[in-house]
Amino acid sequence: MTQFQQLQELISGKLEKELPGHLSYHNIDHTTDVMQAVALIGDIEGIDEKNRRLLLTAALFHDAGFLVGREEHENASCNIAIQYLPGFGYQPAEIEAICNMIMATRIPQSPQNHLEEILCDADLDYLGRDDFFMLSSRLFTELQAENIVKDEEEWNMQQADFMGGHRYFTETSINLREVKKEQYVKLIKSKISNKIFNENIS
């Protein structure tokens, strides 16, 4: 087993056991999903083996901060990475690059280089995928549990606003996800306008 595989087993196990139960979206499934998306985008974008390992590591840790809490979770994720990575042979410059990738995923996303762009796109890969509504529903349930969102109407308005302002950075994600994402935005907006229309005529 490689050092990365050992690290993945350790952190995945920690997330599975210790993340709060109400996190129906920001859980081990999301981490695994982002790692798979990073691998896919990275391969198509021609990322070499060394940087692929850094990307996968950043994906593994990017939401580990939810072990501490939602607020400033990117900072907490970096702190957890800094705590574990030296023990698995990561050099200071690599750890800094990983932390920069994690911080770039903070909304609004702010990637400064290609690797950061890939992680940002992988983190929101689902916005243009077939399983969008299933994952969106999980996120809605999670945010409702924390009283961050009141009801489906408010959620639809937030999603339409967020997705309307979102853009993918890599050519790969633009090609793979943008068209379907735009279709979902129109669909969500139609739900909002239909509700408003129905209220006006009732």
Side-chain angles (χ1 to χ4, degrees):
M1 192 185 282
T2 66
Q3 277 196 311
F4 177 75
Q5 286 171 326
Q6 290 173 341
L7 175 66
Q8 184 179 351
E9 211 170 83
L10 174 68
I11 300 304
S12 295
K14 191 173 174 62
L15 295 175
E16 208 158 357
K17 291 189 194 84
E18 297 177 29
L19 279 172
H22 75 275
L23 296 179
S24 47
Y25 177 82
H26 287 103
N27 52 31
I28 185 61
D29 292 339
H30 172 65
T31 298
T32 303
D33 183 77
V34 175
M35 289 181 76
Q36 287 169 348
V38 148
L40 173 70
I41 300 165
D43 284 349
I44 299 171
E45 293 280 312
I47 298 303
D48 63 30
E49 198 53 45
K50 182 190 169 212
N51 284 317
R52 191 176 192 273
R53 182 181 69 111
L54 297 183
L55 267 170
L56 285 167
T57 305
L60 177 64
F61 279 93
H62 86 284
D63 275 343
F66 275 88
L67 291 162
V68 179
R70 182 178 301 276
E71 205 166 318
E72 299 290 331
H73 69 268
E74 296 91 355
N75 280 325
S77 297
C78 285
N79 291 335
I80 294 167
I82 289 164
Q83 180 188 341
Y84 282 95
L85 292 180
F88 288 85
Y90 287 77
Q91 299 306 305
E94 293 178 319
I95 296 169
E96 185 182 355
I98 287 163
C99 281
N100 287 341
M101 282 185 247
I102 292 168
M103 293 308 297
T105 65
R106 175 185 264 165
I107 305 297
Q109 294 179 326
S110 58
Q112 303 299 311
N113 60 45
H114 195 200
L115 295 184
E116 291 172 20
E117 287 177 348
I118 292 171
L119 183 62
C120 285
D121 283 356
D123 193 22
L124 295 175
D125 186 59
Y126 83 101
L127 294 179
R129 280 195 333 229
D130 291 342
D131 58 353
F132 165 73
F133 284 107
M134 181 189 76
L135 293 172
S136 167
S137 173
R138 287 183 191 174
L139 183 55
F140 170 58
T141 302
E142 176 179 308
L143 296 176
Q144 242 192 340
E146 293 188 17
N147 297 314
I148 293 170
V149 104
K150 187 177 64 187
D151 54 27
E152 202 167 326
E153 185 184 358
E154 185 184 344
W155 175 234
N156 283 334
M157 290 175 84
Q158 280 188 19
Q159 281 210 107
D161 187 49
F162 172 70
M163 290 173 71
H166 168 267
R167 70 184 183 94
Y168 286 114
F169 299 99
T170 63
E171 197 178 328
T172 300
S173 291
I174 292 165
N175 292 338
L176 287 178
R177 309 296 183 215
E178 192 64 44
V179 170
K180 194 159 270 190
K181 186 193 80 175
E182 293 304 322
Q183 289 170 356
Y184 293 149
V185 173
K186 283 178 187 163
L187 195 56
I188 293 164
K189 282 182 174 173
S190 75
K191 286 184 185 180
I192 298 164
S193 55
N194 283 342
K195 183 157 177 47
I196 292 166
F197 176 74
N198 290 336
E199 281 175 354
N200 286 341
I201 60 170
S202 60

